[in-house]
Protein backbone atom coordinates (compact mmCIF):
# COMPACT_ATOMS: atom_id res chain seq x y z
CA UNK A 1 0.00 0.00 0.00
CA UNK A 2 1.31 3.41 -0.99
CA UNK A 3 1.79 5.71 1.97
CA UNK A 4 0.23 9.10 1.50
CA UNK A 5 2.51 12.10 1.93
CA UNK A 6 1.94 14.14 5.10
CA UNK A 7 -0.23 17.24 4.91
CA UNK A 8 -0.51 20.43 6.93
CA UNK A 9 -3.90 19.28 8.23
CA UNK A 10 -2.16 16.27 9.75
CA UNK A 11 0.40 18.56 11.34
CA UNK A 12 -2.32 20.79 12.81
CA UNK A 13 -4.25 17.77 14.09
CA UNK A 14 -1.08 16.39 15.66
CA UNK A 15 -0.39 19.72 17.38
CA UNK A 16 -3.92 19.68 18.79
CA UNK A 17 -3.38 16.16 20.11
CA UNK A 18 -0.11 17.20 21.75
CA UNK A 19 -1.83 20.17 23.36
CA UNK A 20 -4.65 17.94 24.65
CA UNK A 21 -2.18 15.45 26.13
CA UNK A 22 -0.21 18.27 27.78
CA UNK A 23 -3.42 19.69 29.27
CA UNK A 24 -4.39 16.24 30.55
CA UNK A 25 -0.93 15.84 32.06
CA UNK A 26 -1.26 19.19 33.87
CA UNK A 27 -4.63 18.13 35.29
CA UNK A 28 -3.15 14.84 36.50
CA UNK A 29 -0.22 16.69 38.08
CA UNK A 30 -2.67 18.92 39.99
CA UNK A 31 -4.56 15.81 41.07
CA UNK A 32 -1.27 14.25 42.19
CA UNK A 33 -0.43 17.30 44.32
CA UNK A 34 -3.87 17.29 45.99
CA UNK A 35 -3.64 13.54 46.66
CA UNK A 36 -0.21 13.97 48.21
CA UNK A 37 -1.55 16.71 50.49
CA UNK A 38 -4.55 14.61 51.52
CA UNK A 39 -2.36 11.59 52.21
CA UNK A 40 0.10 13.64 54.25
CA UNK A 41 -2.68 15.13 56.39
CA UNK A 42 -4.40 11.78 56.91
CA UNK A 43 -1.13 10.05 57.78
CA UNK A 44 -0.52 12.52 60.60
CA UNK A 45 -4.05 12.00 61.87
CA UNK A 46 -3.79 8.23 61.42
CA UNK A 47 -0.63 8.18 63.51
CA UNK A 48 -2.44 9.86 66.42
CA UNK A 49 -5.49 7.62 66.07
CA UNK A 50 -3.29 4.52 65.90
CA UNK A 51 -1.48 5.52 69.09
CA UNK A 52 -4.80 6.10 70.84
CA UNK A 53 -6.12 2.75 69.63
CA UNK A 54 -2.98 0.92 70.78
CA UNK A 55 -3.29 2.57 74.20
CA UNK A 56 -6.89 1.38 74.36
CA UNK A 57 -5.75 -2.13 73.48
CA UNK A 58 -3.21 -1.98 76.29
CA UNK A 59 -5.95 -0.99 78.76
CA UNK A 60 -8.18 -3.79 77.49
CA UNK A 61 -5.39 -6.32 77.89
CA UNK A 62 -4.79 -5.14 81.46
CA UNK A 63 -8.46 -5.21 82.49
CA UNK A 64 -8.98 -8.53 80.68
CA UNK A 65 -6.08 -10.08 82.61
CA UNK A 66 -7.43 -8.82 85.95
CA UNK A 67 -10.96 -10.01 85.12
CA UNK A 68 -9.76 -13.46 84.20
CA UNK A 69 -7.57 -13.60 87.30
CA UNK A 70 -10.27 -12.56 89.81
CA UNK A 71 -13.48 -13.79 88.17
CA UNK A 72 -12.23 -16.71 86.12
CA UNK A 73 -12.87 -17.90 82.60
CA UNK A 74 -16.62 -18.08 83.24
CA UNK A 75 -16.94 -14.29 83.40
CA UNK A 76 -15.21 -13.87 80.03
CA UNK A 77 -17.43 -16.52 78.47
CA UNK A 78 -20.51 -14.86 79.93
CA UNK A 79 -19.57 -11.50 78.43
CA UNK A 80 -18.91 -13.15 75.08
CA UNK A 81 -22.46 -14.51 75.11
CA UNK A 82 -24.03 -11.34 76.51
CA UNK A 83 -22.49 -8.78 74.13
CA UNK A 84 -24.52 -8.83 70.88
CA UNK A 85 -22.83 -8.60 67.47
CA UNK A 86 -22.49 -5.05 66.20
CA UNK A 87 -24.50 -3.98 63.18
CA UNK A 88 -22.51 -1.76 60.87
CA UNK A 89 -23.65 0.76 58.27
CA UNK A 90 -21.58 1.56 55.18
CA UNK A 91 -21.22 4.90 53.39
CA UNK A 92 -19.41 5.50 50.11
CA UNK A 93 -17.14 8.56 49.90
CA UNK A 94 -15.31 10.17 47.00
CA UNK A 95 -12.21 12.38 46.84
CA UNK A 96 -10.37 13.38 43.64
CA UNK A 97 -12.00 10.56 41.66
CA UNK A 98 -11.12 8.02 44.36
CA UNK A 99 -14.00 6.09 45.97
CA UNK A 100 -13.67 4.52 49.40
CA UNK A 101 -16.12 3.27 52.04
CA UNK A 102 -16.61 4.34 55.64
CA UNK A 103 -18.11 2.12 58.32
CA UNK A 104 -20.18 3.14 61.35
CA UNK A 105 -21.77 1.06 64.13
CA UNK A 106 -25.54 1.38 64.32
CA UNK A 107 -26.09 0.61 68.01
CA UNK A 108 -24.20 1.92 71.01
CA UNK A 109 -22.08 -0.40 73.08
CA UNK A 110 -24.25 -1.90 75.87
CA UNK A 111 -23.63 -0.73 79.41
CA UNK A 112 -22.45 -3.01 82.18
CA UNK A 113 -25.93 -3.14 83.76
CA UNK A 114 -27.29 -4.67 80.56
CA UNK A 115 -24.66 -7.41 80.42
CA UNK A 116 -24.27 -8.85 83.91
CA UNK A 117 -25.30 -8.58 87.55
CA UNK A 118 -22.72 -6.43 89.41
CA UNK A 119 -23.44 -8.39 92.58
CA UNK A 120 -22.03 -11.59 91.06
CA UNK A 121 -18.76 -10.24 89.67
CA UNK A 122 -15.96 -7.90 90.72
CA UNK A 123 -15.31 -4.36 89.51
CA UNK A 124 -12.75 -5.67 87.03
CA UNK A 125 -15.57 -6.85 84.76
CA UNK A 126 -17.04 -3.36 84.79
CA UNK A 127 -13.59 -1.95 83.95
CA UNK A 128 -13.25 -4.37 81.04
CA UNK A 129 -16.63 -3.36 79.60
CA UNK A 130 -15.76 0.32 80.04
CA UNK A 131 -12.42 -0.14 78.27
CA UNK A 132 -14.08 -2.03 75.43
CA UNK A 133 -16.60 0.79 74.97
CA UNK A 134 -13.84 3.41 74.95
CA UNK A 135 -11.75 1.46 72.45
CA UNK A 136 -14.77 1.15 70.15
CA UNK A 137 -14.61 4.88 69.35
CA UNK A 138 -11.01 4.87 68.21
CA UNK A 139 -11.45 1.45 66.55
CA UNK A 140 -13.86 2.72 63.87
CA UNK A 141 -11.84 5.86 63.28
CA UNK A 142 -8.74 3.68 62.92
CA UNK A 143 -10.51 1.39 60.42
CA UNK A 144 -11.96 4.24 58.35
CA UNK A 145 -8.68 6.15 58.15
CA UNK A 146 -6.82 2.97 57.23
CA UNK A 147 -9.29 2.23 54.41
CA UNK A 148 -9.17 5.83 53.18
CA UNK A 149 -5.37 5.93 53.15
CA UNK A 150 -5.15 2.66 51.21
CA UNK A 151 -7.62 3.97 48.63
CA UNK A 152 -5.84 7.33 48.25
CA UNK A 153 -2.44 5.66 47.95
CA UNK A 154 -3.81 3.34 45.27
CA UNK A 155 -5.26 6.29 43.34
CA UNK A 156 -1.94 8.12 43.67
CA UNK A 157 -0.08 5.14 42.17
CA UNK A 158 -2.48 5.10 39.21
CA UNK A 159 -2.09 8.86 38.72
CA UNK A 160 1.72 8.67 38.84
CA UNK A 161 1.65 5.81 36.32
CA UNK A 162 -0.49 7.86 33.92
CA UNK A 163 1.76 10.90 34.26
CA UNK A 164 4.85 8.77 33.68
CA UNK A 165 3.25 7.13 30.62
CA UNK A 166 2.47 10.54 29.15
CA UNK A 167 5.95 11.88 29.85
CA UNK A 168 7.95 8.83 28.78
CA UNK A 169 5.85 7.33 25.99
CA UNK A 170 2.92 9.28 24.57
CA UNK A 171 4.37 12.80 24.34
CA UNK A 172 7.79 11.71 22.96
CA UNK A 173 6.08 9.67 20.22
CA UNK A 174 3.78 12.54 19.29
CA UNK A 175 6.67 15.02 19.28
CA UNK A 176 8.79 12.71 17.10
CA UNK A 177 5.91 12.32 14.66
CA UNK A 178 5.39 16.09 14.61
CA UNK A 179 9.06 16.68 13.85
CA UNK A 180 9.01 14.16 11.01
CA UNK A 181 5.91 15.67 9.42
CA UNK A 182 7.31 19.19 9.80
CA UNK A 183 10.59 18.04 8.22
CA UNK A 184 8.81 16.43 5.24
CA UNK A 185 6.63 19.49 4.72
CA UNK A 186 9.67 21.78 4.90
CA UNK A 187 11.57 19.63 2.38
CA UNK A 188 8.61 19.53 0.03
CA UNK A 189 8.18 23.29 0.25
CA UNK A 190 11.87 23.78 -0.45
CA UNK A 191 11.69 21.53 -3.50
CA UNK A 192 8.59 23.31 -4.77
CA UNK A 193 10.32 26.67 -4.41
CA UNK A 194 13.36 25.33 -6.30
CA UNK A 195 11.17 23.98 -9.11
CA UNK A 196 9.23 27.26 -9.29
CA UNK A 197 12.42 29.32 -9.51
CA UNK A 198 13.81 27.02 -12.22
CA UNK A 199 10.60 27.26 -14.22
CA UNK A 200 10.57 31.07 -13.93
CA UNK A 201 14.17 31.24 -15.16
CA UNK A 202 13.27 29.18 -18.20
CA UNK A 203 10.24 31.36 -18.96
CA UNK A 204 12.18 34.61 -18.55
CA UNK A 205 13.27 36.02 -21.99
CA UNK A 206 17.02 36.30 -22.54
CA UNK A 207 18.27 39.79 -23.60
CA UNK A 208 21.15 40.53 -25.99
Amino acid sequence: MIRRPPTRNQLLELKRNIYSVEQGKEILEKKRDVLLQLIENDRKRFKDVKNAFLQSCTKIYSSYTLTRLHDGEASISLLGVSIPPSRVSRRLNQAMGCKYPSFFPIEDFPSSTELYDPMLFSLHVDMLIHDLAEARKSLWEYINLHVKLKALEGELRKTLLRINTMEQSILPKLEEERRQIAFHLSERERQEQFITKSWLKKKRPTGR
Side-chain angles (χ1 to χ4, degrees):
M1 185 175 66
I2 300 175
R3 185 178 179 182
R4 295 181 180 180
T7 63
R8 293 196 174 275
N9 287 335
Q10 290 178 343
L11 182 61
L12 292 175
E13 181 66 23
L14 193 58
K15 287 182 177 179
R16 283 193 290 266
N17 291 340
I18 292 173
Y19 177 76
S20 299
V21 173
E22 288 176 343
Q23 290 296 308
K25 178 172 165 289
E26 289 182 5
I27 293 173
L28 287 175
E29 287 173 345
K30 292 179 181 178
K31 179 181 178 179
R32 174 200 61 193
D33 296 339
V34 175
L35 286 173
L36 286 171
Q37 186 64 40
L38 289 174
I39 290 173
E40 183 181 358
N41 294 337
D42 285 337
R43 277 179 179 170
K44 294 178 181 178
R45 185 180 166 201
F46 180 73
K47 184 178 179 181
D48 297 335
V49 172
K50 184 178 180 180
N51 291 334
F53 176 67
L54 292 177
Q55 289 177 2
S56 299
C57 291
T58 303
K59 291 175 64 177
I60 291 173
Y61 177 76
S62 176
S63 56
Y64 172 84
T65 303
L66 290 173
T67 301
R68 190 166 182 175
L69 181 64
H70 289 82
D71 297 276
E73 182 67 27
S75 61
I76 304 297
S77 302
L78 178 62
L79 288 178
V81 174
S82 302
I83 298 176
S86 297
R87 293 194 302 164
V88 180
S89 63
R90 179 176 178 269
R91 185 180 67 195
L92 193 62
N93 305 289
Q94 185 171 353
M96 300 303 297
C98 173
K99 295 181 180 180
Y100 59 93
S102 295
F103 305 96
F104 304 94
I106 297 178
E107 296 99 351
D108 292 330
F109 194 83
S111 62
S112 57
T113 56
E114 300 176 58
L115 297 177
Y116 75 102
D117 186 357
M119 297 296 296
L120 300 177
F121 296 96
S122 67
L123 291 176
H124 299 295
V125 177
D126 195 59
M127 289 174 55
L128 176 59
I129 296 173
H130 179 269
D131 292 339
L132 288 171
E134 287 294 322
R136 194 167 185 252
K137 301 174 184 177
S138 57
L139 169 65
W140 290 109
E141 190 174 6
Y142 175 86
I143 292 174
N144 290 329
L145 275 176
H146 181 72
V147 171
K148 182 182 178 182
L149 274 173
K150 289 297 181 183
L152 291 177
E153 288 170 354
E155 189 67 24
L156 178 62
R157 284 193 294 271
K158 293 179 183 178
T159 303
L160 292 175
L161 180 61
R162 291 171 185 166
I163 293 174
N164 186 65
T165 302
M166 289 181 175
E167 287 181 346
Q168 304 298 328
S169 178
I170 298 177
L171 281 175
K173 289 180 180 178
L174 291 175
E175 287 290 347
E176 179 62 25
E177 188 176 356
R178 182 192 64 79
R179 285 192 294 268
Q180 290 180 359
I181 292 177
F183 174 77
H184 286 300
L185 290 176
S186 177
E187 284 295 310
R188 188 168 64 191
E189 184 178 356
R190 186 181 63 82
Q191 292 176 3
E192 289 174 354
Q193 290 177 354
F194 177 77
I195 293 172
T196 302
K197 288 180 181 180
S198 300
W199 183 79
L200 289 175
K201 287 181 180 179
K202 290 181 181 180
K203 296 291 290 183
R204 187 179 303 164
T206 56
R208 294 182 177 271

